[in-house]
């Protein structure tokens, strides 16, 4: 009887050990293998490379943004200069036009008197070519 009890106990112990063995075997089967570890290291290396690229691109982006702002400032400065040059040009044109008007106004009485004198001394003809200054005979 003792031996049969020992055998039963041993069988139960064996079954319990087999159960634990199968559970551990299933757990190990679910664990990733060395291939997964290699893939993980490759992914980490590529991730670090991409992060470096992103940092470089971010630095380039800030550089380009500062260049764009500098160019915008330069454009606004040049536009202001252009407006100032246009304003000076039109002021100069106004002054020249005013001077021409005053010269013309000064010369106008002399021209008018010359035109009146020349009209008086010139022979005028109408459509038929008859002199209007001579009396009709």
């Amino acid at each position: 009887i003792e031996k049969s009890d020992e055998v039963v106990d041993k069988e139960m112990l064996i079954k319990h050990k087999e159960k634990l063995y199968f559970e551990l075997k299933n757990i190990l089967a679910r664990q990733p293998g060395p291939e997964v570890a290699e893939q993980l290291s490759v992914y980490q290396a590529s991730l670090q490379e991409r992060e470096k690229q992103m940092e470089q691109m971010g630095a380039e982006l800030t550089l380009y943004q500062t260049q764009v702002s500098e160019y915008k400032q330069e454009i606004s400065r040049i536009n202001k200069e252009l407006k100032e040059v246009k304003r000076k040009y039109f002021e100069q044109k106004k002054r020249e036009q005013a001077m021409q008007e005053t010269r013309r106004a000064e010369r106008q009485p002399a021209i008018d008197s010359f035109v009146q004198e020349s009209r008086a001394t010139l022979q005028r003809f109408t459509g038929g070519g008859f002199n209007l200054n001579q009396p009709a005979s």
Side-chain angles (χ1 to χ4, degrees), residues 37-99:
E38 289 177 23
Q39 279 186 340
L40 181 62
S41 65
V42 169
Y43 289 153
Q44 285 176 341
S46 67
L47 178 64
Q48 288 175 352
E49 183 181 328
R50 296 282 172 106
E51 285 176 349
K52 287 179 184 178
Q53 287 178 348
M54 289 286 287
E55 289 175 5
Q56 289 174 349
M57 291 173 76
E60 288 179 13
L61 178 64
T62 56
L63 173 72
Y64 292 142
Q65 286 174 340
T66 56
Q67 283 181 348
V68 165
S69 66
E70 289 174 0
Y71 291 150
K72 285 182 179 179
Q73 289 173 354
E74 188 173 348
I75 287 172
S76 67
R77 180 185 57 82
I78 290 173
N79 281 335
K80 287 178 184 176
E81 287 179 12
L82 178 64
K83 286 180 183 177
E84 184 65 24
V85 167
K86 281 183 178 180
R87 185 186 60 80
K88 287 180 181 179
Y89 172 77
F90 287 120
E91 284 179 0
Q92 180 69 26
K93 287 294 261 182
K94 270 187 182 178
R95 277 190 249 126
E96 288 177 4
Q97 192 174 10
M99 285 176 34

Side-chain angles (χ1 to χ4, degrees), residues 21-34:
Y21 170 74
F22 284 119
E23 286 177 6
L24 286 174
K25 188 176 177 183
N26 287 335
I27 289 172
L28 285 176
R30 284 186 260 143
Q31 293 292 324

Side-chain angles (χ1 to χ4, degrees), residues 78-131:
I78 290 173
N79 281 335
K80 287 178 184 176
E81 287 179 12
L82 178 64
K83 286 180 183 177
E84 184 65 24
V85 167
K86 281 183 178 180
R87 185 186 60 80
K88 287 180 181 179
Y89 172 77
F90 287 120
E91 284 179 0
Q92 180 69 26
K93 287 294 261 182
K94 270 187 182 178
R95 277 190 249 126
E96 288 177 4
Q97 192 174 10
M99 285 176 34
Q100 285 178 356
E101 289 295 326
T102 55
R103 286 185 197 150
R104 192 175 292 137
E106 290 172 356
R107 285 187 271 149
Q108 191 62 33
I111 291 174
D112 287 343
S113 65
F114 177 73
V115 168
Q116 287 176 359
E117 288 176 16
S118 65
R119 283 185 183 163
T121 58
L122 286 178
Q123 295 181 354
R124 295 187 328 191
F125 297 95
T126 59
F130 299 105
N131 188 354

